[in-house]
Amino acid sequence: MSARTLLALFALGFAAASIAPAAPPPGPPWPTNRPQGGTRSAAEAPAKSFAVAEVSESAGGLVVVVSARAAVAKPKAGQEYELSYQLRVHTAKGEAGPLLGTKQFPKGVALNVRTVKCEHDWIEFYETFDVTRKDLSGMTNLPGTEKGGTVFVRVEPHLFDVSANAFLTPVRTPAAVLVASVAPGGRVLELRPVSEWLVGWTGSAADAKSALARLAELDEWDPTFNRIEGAFARVLTSETAHPGAKAEFVRALDAKRLNWKSYWDVRKAVEALAAGPDGELKAAARAKLDETK
């Protein structure tokens, strides 16, 4: 065999070795479905599969962008796992309201976001998708289609084991909460995150109290992921919000959260009100700050 041939074979072998996929590292199913270098601690692995949703942004009552984060605990190589979401009507705290469906699936439909085949020993999803007012218009089980009305809609992410034909997540998961304005006939006129809906109820103390009562009825959701801190900050720093409405928002605050980093803007707003001239609002703000001590 010539030296040139030996050199060519060596080059081919080197190229093949350089592009060969890395072997899956040892450790828990974390964090994505691709090989990662190094050793991972078992403490990082999720004890069970989970999925949570977060409001990313919205546009003019037409569309809300939702982000979902999910992890499959101990996935099996070769099996397929699906991240999907369902749209569920919020009825009352502790209740699993009806799912919105289509003509083909009137009792409720799961909308696929991404399907992954497990090639290694861990899977995690980071996905973003749009929910539009057009999507919701005409869906089955949407309340208010006869007379119109306001409907709270939960966007719930789910993990589904395609190979086992089984959901890995519970009936309800931590949701992104949207508010739909429904016209008679089922057409959705507006679709907004609950945080945007909330800041519209500042014309009077009664309006604010009504909206905050509805907010308190929500469960299986994360206020931070639904941008509630930002909504409170907007109301408390607004120049047009009614003082009585601001006072209701101050009273509704969880005092413990005012010490959280994510509530920095809210706390500053409360401190400013506590130093302000308005009697009732000033008293409410001072009382709330006293609760944080």
Side-chain angles (χ1 to χ4, degrees), residues 1-277:
M1 186 178 293
S2 69
R4 179 176 295 179
T5 302
L6 285 171
L7 186 60
L9 289 174
F10 177 81
L12 285 172
F14 179 80
S18 66
I19 63 173
W30 202 260
T32 57
N33 193 47
R34 64 176 183 269
Q36 298 273 325
T39 301
R40 293 159 295 147
S41 167
E44 295 181 83
K48 61 181 180 179
S49 299
F50 69 86
V52 297
E54 177 176 2
V55 172
S56 292
E57 56 184 304
S58 64
L62 302 176
V63 59
V64 179
V65 181
V66 175
S67 295
R69 178 170 59 90
V72 180
K74 300 179 181 178
K76 296 180 180 179
Q79 292 195 182
E80 290 189 332
Y81 298 89
E82 176 182 290
L83 173 67
S84 62
Y85 68 94
Q86 295 176 323
L87 301 171
R88 186 186 300 277
V89 176
H90 171 74
T91 51
K93 183 176 289 188
E95 293 183 0
L99 293 172
L100 301 187
T102 61
K103 291 181 179 179
Q104 186 178 5
F105 302 101
K107 293 184 179 181
V109 62
L111 302 163
N112 179 271
V113 179
R114 186 183 176 196
T115 301
V116 168
K117 184 175 182 179
C118 183
E119 298 176 355
H120 307 292
D121 66 342
W122 67 97
I123 295 176
E124 188 170 76
F125 292 90
Y126 294 93
E127 301 294 333
T128 299
F129 53 89
D130 295 345
V131 181
T132 71
R133 68 175 188 176
K134 183 179 179 181
D135 294 335
L136 269 64
S137 291
M139 292 191 80
T140 60
N141 303 323
L142 186 66
T145 56
E146 294 184 2
K147 297 181 180 180
T150 300
V151 180
F152 283 63
V153 178
R154 298 170 50 84
V155 183
E156 300 175 342
H158 285 281
L159 288 171
F160 186 73
D161 186 332
V162 178
S163 303
N165 192 32
F167 280 99
L168 302 177
T169 41
V171 173
R172 292 191 303 161
T173 58
V177 182
L178 313 184
V179 182
S181 177
V182 184
R187 180 169 172 257
V188 175
L189 302 175
E190 283 190 344
L191 183 67
R192 298 185 182 276
V194 66
S195 58
E196 289 188 10
W197 169 86
L198 186 62
V199 299
W201 290 76
T202 58
S204 67
D207 283 350
K209 197 168 186 177
S210 174
L212 290 165
R214 297 195 72 173
L215 188 74
E217 271 294 303
L218 298 176
D219 62 352
E220 284 297 328
W221 74 308
D222 188 302
T224 297
F225 286 176
N226 282 273
R227 301 189 171 190
I228 296 301
E229 295 101 322
F232 271 76
R234 284 179 61 187
V235 169
L236 298 182
T237 58
S238 170
E239 295 182 357
T240 58
H242 190 279
K246 286 186 177 184
E248 292 295 338
F249 271 78
V250 170
R251 295 186 187 105
L253 282 168
D254 184 340
K256 292 180 301 216
R257 292 182 179 234
L258 284 178
N259 293 319
W260 293 7
K261 184 177 180 180
S262 61
Y263 272 75
W264 189 87
D265 288 341
V266 180
R267 185 181 182 103
K268 289 299 179 183
V270 175
E271 290 174 347
L273 295 174

